[in-house]
Amino acid sequence: QKEVEQNSGPLSVPEGAIASLNCTYSDRGSQSFFWYRQYSGKSPELIMFIYSNGDKEDGRFTAQLNKASQYVSLLIRDSQPSDSATYLCAVENNAGNMLTFGGGTRLMVKP
Amino acid sequence: DGGITQSPKYLFRKEGQNVTLSCEQNLNHDAMYWYRQDPGQGLRLIYYSQIVNDFQKGDIAEGYSVSREKKESFPLTVTSAQKNPTAFYLCASSYSGGSPTDTQYFGPGTRLTVL
């Protein structure tokens, strides 16, 4: 069973701080990794994806991937109360036709 | 206005009833997916389809059925065999579903409650 693990949280950070969300996965053949944000009662929305080792930046968000350690993270700089949500890590299988989701980390940004 | 629509938004089912959840997309995506989400948990794959008239079971297909007669539509039937169907059901689509980094986009979801 391919697994994707996330700390369920809640992770509480003050407004303006950096929030660091982590995800580990078990399938070494995985090639692509996705971060989704889900507000309470809503559907997930894509933040960004990454498939190369290293960092990928998009605005206040940075995804980091280390395939050797089977670890992917999401950094949110200058956290805002509107960033308060559950963040889902998703790992794509080698065939590229299925995603396995982690349980999500609940982030709370306090004013 | 392109996107994925799901209906109804809320659905109530009595014990022993079959219900069908609708999912339609006008993004010209080839692949479509159904997920189930239970409170405080991640998404689990029920069924997926990469082309019309073909679909595959996901991790939790028991008690569910699907059809893919049109590219735009991928309805999910929750049968009476599904013992604990109360959950949030999410439909997603992607361009091809057969190559890395094909991003999945989600519809707004249907919340199903068994009475």
Side-chain angles (χ1 to χ4, degrees), chain A residues 33 35 48-59 61-67 71-75 77:
Chain A
F33 308 85
W35 282 101
M48 62 193 306
F49 67 85
I50 186 168
Y51 54 85
S52 298
N53 274 329
D55 296 359
K56 179 181 179 182
E57 186 175 318
D58 184 359
F61 299 96
T62 298
Q64 299 176 317
L65 175 60
N66 184 328
K67 290 185 179 179
Y71 176 94
V72 58
S73 64
L74 179 70
L75 301 179
R77 289 182 300 280

Side-chain angles (χ1 to χ4, degrees), chain A residues 32 36 38 43 46 51 92 96-97, chain B residues 37 42 97-98 100-101 103-104 107:
Chain A
S32 300
Y36 287 86
Q38 186 176 26
S43 62
L46 181 72
Y51 54 85
E92 191 170 55
N97 58 6
Chain B
Q37 187 176 35
T101 73
T103 302
Q104 292 187 23

Side-chain angles (χ1 to χ4, degrees), chain A residues 1 8 31-34 36 38 40-46 49-51 86 88 92-104, chain B residues 6 9 33 35 37 40-45 48 50 57-59 88 90 96-109 111:
Chain A
Q1 179 74 14
S8 62
Q31 296 294 322
S32 300
F33 308 85
F34 300 79
Y36 287 86
Q38 186 176 26
S40 181
K42 303 296 185 183
S43 62
E45 52 183 339
L46 181 72
F49 67 85
I50 186 168
Y51 54 85
T86 296
L88 299 169
E92 191 170 55
N93 66 349
N94 209 18
N97 58 6
M98 288 178 59
L99 291 181
T100 299
F101 283 81
Chain B
Q6 291 187 242
K9 186 174 181 180
Y33 309 81
Y35 293 91
Q37 187 176 35
Q41 298 189 28
L43 281 63
R44 291 184 290 167
L45 183 65
Y48 67 100
Q50 293 183 256
K57 292 181 179 180
D59 298 322
F88 188 39
L90 289 156
S96 74
S99 62
T101 73
D102 278 329
T103 302
Q104 292 187 23
Y105 297 94
F106 286 86
R111 197 166 296 278

